[in-house]
Amino acid sequence: SERGSLVARFPSCFLKISTMLSSSLARSISKAPRALPTSLHRFFSADTATFDLTGSFETYQLDTQPNNEITTSKDELMNMFETMYTMRRMEITCDNEYKARNIRGFCHLYDGQEAVATGIDAALTKEDSWITSYRCHCVALIRGGTVEKVVGELFGGLEGYSRGKGGSMHFYNKDWNFYGGQGIVGAQVPVGTGLAFANKYNAKPGEPMNVAVACYGDGAANQGQVWEAANMASLWKLPMIFCIENNHYGMGTSIDRHSSHSDYYKMGNHIPGIRIDGMNVLAVKEGMRFVKEYCSSGNGPMYVEMMTYRYHGHSMSDPGTTYRNREEIAFTRSTRDPLEFVKKTMIEAGFADPEELKETEKRIRKSVQKAVLKAK
C-alpha cells in the first residue's frame, strides 16, 4: 500500500511521529503522490539528466497521464532552486517585518508551498492567465515581480507592486497576465473562469489556446461559486485549470473536519482531474505541462490537486500550533521539504555540491536583505 511504502522509506521516524500528526494529515501523507528517490535517474550529459517521477501522479477520468520521467538541465534546476530559496527568504523576512510592525493588516505566507508556484510557472508561458488567493506574494514574485516591489507593497510604498494600494492580498500585473490575489475566499475561481473564456474567445482558429489557472486552497474547495464556475467551464469547454493547493488545513480546520470529500481532484464529477506531489517541483512542472496541453487543445477544464503543506499558520495572527503540533511541522520539513528535495536532486545528479549551494543561499539572503532595506 502507499502508506506501507511511506513507512518503508522512513522506518525510523514514522512510527514515532505518526501519533503526533493530525489524523487528516497522516492519511493525506500516506495517499499523497510521491516520486521515487531521486537516485533513480540516468544521465544524458554532464549538464542534463532524466529523473523518475513514478508515483507522483494520480488521475481521475483520464485515459492518459503525465510522463513518469522528466529531463531537465543543470541551469533549470539551479534556477528553480534560486527562485524557491528567494521565495522562502522573502516570506521569512515578511514574518520578521510583520512582528516588528513594519507590515500591518492581513499577511498570509507561502513558505512550504514554493514548489507549487515554481513548477506551475515552469509549465506556463507569459501569455497564460494566472489568478490566485490572498496567499499571493510568491506568485507575484515569479510573475514579473522583484523582492523589492513585493515587500514595498507590503510596506505600503508607492514603488510597491501595486503602488501601495493593494497590500498583501492584492497584487496585480497585467503585463504578465497575473490577475492577483483575492481577499475573498474562492472569489478568484469565477474570475479565473472569465479569463479562460477570454482566452478561448481570443484564440486563433486551429491553434492551442492560452490557459487560465485559478489557484485556491482546500478550505475554498466547497464554495458554491466554484461549482458554478466549473459548470460553465465544462459546458463551454474552456481552457480552465481549477488548481487546489491542498495544504491540509482550511484556516485552522483540518480537511477531515471541513470537507466530506477530500479527494479534491475528483470533485469535478465528470470533469477529469489529477493529483500531483506538490512538494516535488519537477513533478509539478511535468504534471502542469500535461494539464496545459489537455486544456489548451479544446478538451475543456481540469481539476488539479497539489499535495503541499504550509509551515506558517493561516495568517500572521495564527500561530499555527493550536490545531497541529510542532512535531508535525518538523516531520514535514525533515521528510518532504521542497527546497531540500531540489538540493538533494542537484547534488545526486552532480549538478552542484553542498558548498556551492551554501554559497548560493548566502548570496540570496544578502540580496533579499538589501532589497528589503531599499523598499523601506
Side-chain angles (χ1 to χ4, degrees), residues 45-201:
S45 71
D47 295 319
T48 306
T50 297
F51 298 93
D52 195 340
L53 299 177
T54 302
S56 295
F57 312 107
E58 294 176 38
T59 60
Y60 171 72
Q61 301 281 38
L62 286 167
D63 296 326
T64 58
Q65 69 169 34
N67 296 322
N68 283 324
E69 289 185 339
I70 186 170
T71 299
T72 188
S73 67
K74 174 182 177 179
D75 288 344
E76 181 180 35
L77 267 179
M78 181 59 79
N79 181 262
M80 286 177 167
F81 172 69
E82 292 189 7
T83 299
M84 292 166 64
Y85 193 73
T86 300
M87 291 176 175
R88 179 72 59 88
R89 294 307 310 176
M90 182 181 74
E91 293 295 70
I92 290 173
T93 300
C94 288
D95 172 85
N96 294 331
E97 294 294 335
Y98 193 97
K99 290 172 180 175
R101 298 188 177 183
N102 294 322
I103 297 173
R104 302 297 183 96
F106 295 104
C107 186
H108 307 81
L109 302 180
Y110 199 71
D111 49 320
Q113 300 182 213
E114 298 93 346
V116 175
T118 305
I120 290 175
D121 186 70
L124 300 183
T125 67
K126 185 179 176 181
E127 286 69 38
D128 294 311
S129 307
W130 195 345
I131 190 168
T132 188
S133 70
Y134 38 72
R135 201 178 304 280
C136 60
H137 305 164
C138 293
V139 182
L141 178 68
I142 208 169
R143 293 298 270 189
T146 64
V147 173
E148 182 182 345
K149 291 184 70 174
V150 171
V151 178
E153 183 63 29
L154 299 181
F155 290 154
L158 186 62
E159 300 303 318
Y161 200 100
S162 300
R163 300 183 64 80
K165 297 179 180 179
S168 175
M169 300 191 290
H170 300 288
F171 289 82
Y172 173 79
N173 190 338
K174 190 174 186 300
D175 291 339
W176 281 75
N177 285 300
F178 174 54
Y179 294 90
Q182 294 286 314
I184 304 300
V185 175
Q188 66 273 26
V189 181
V191 179
T193 305
L195 293 170
F197 180 90
N199 287 346
K200 182 174 182 178
Y201 184 85

Side-chain angles (χ1 to χ4, degrees), residues 208-270:
M209 296 175 279
N210 294 320
V211 299
V213 181
C215 292
Y216 54 105
D218 50 277
N222 286 296
Q223 282 274 317
Q225 57 192 330
V226 175
W227 302 106
E228 294 176 33
N231 180 56
M232 287 188 284
S234 180
L235 279 172
W236 298 336
K237 290 191 176 297
L238 301 182
M240 174 63 182
I241 300 171
F242 296 86
C243 183
I244 302 101
E245 296 188 65
N246 182 1
N247 60 26
H248 308 296
Y249 297 96
M251 297 186 73
T253 308
S254 66
I255 55 177
D256 275 356
R257 296 178 58 220
H258 75 66
S259 183
S260 64
H261 187 356
S262 58
D263 287 333
Y264 295 104
Y265 71 113
K266 298 179 180 179
M267 292 183 81
N269 298 314
H270 62 279

Side-chain angles (χ1 to χ4, degrees), residues 255-302:
I255 55 177
D256 275 356
R257 296 178 58 220
H258 75 66
S259 183
S260 64
H261 187 356
S262 58
D263 287 333
Y264 295 104
Y265 71 113
K266 298 179 180 179
M267 292 183 81
N269 298 314
H270 62 279
I271 298 175
I274 182 170
R275 175 183 274 161
I276 300 173
D277 181 358
M279 305 299 264
N280 178 340
V281 68
L282 296 178
V284 175
K285 178 190 174 183
E286 170 56 22
M288 287 300 292
R289 179 206 61 79
F290 169 82
V291 173
K292 177 181 173 177
E293 183 177 290
Y294 177 94
C295 295
S296 66
S297 300
N299 295 308
M302 189 180 294

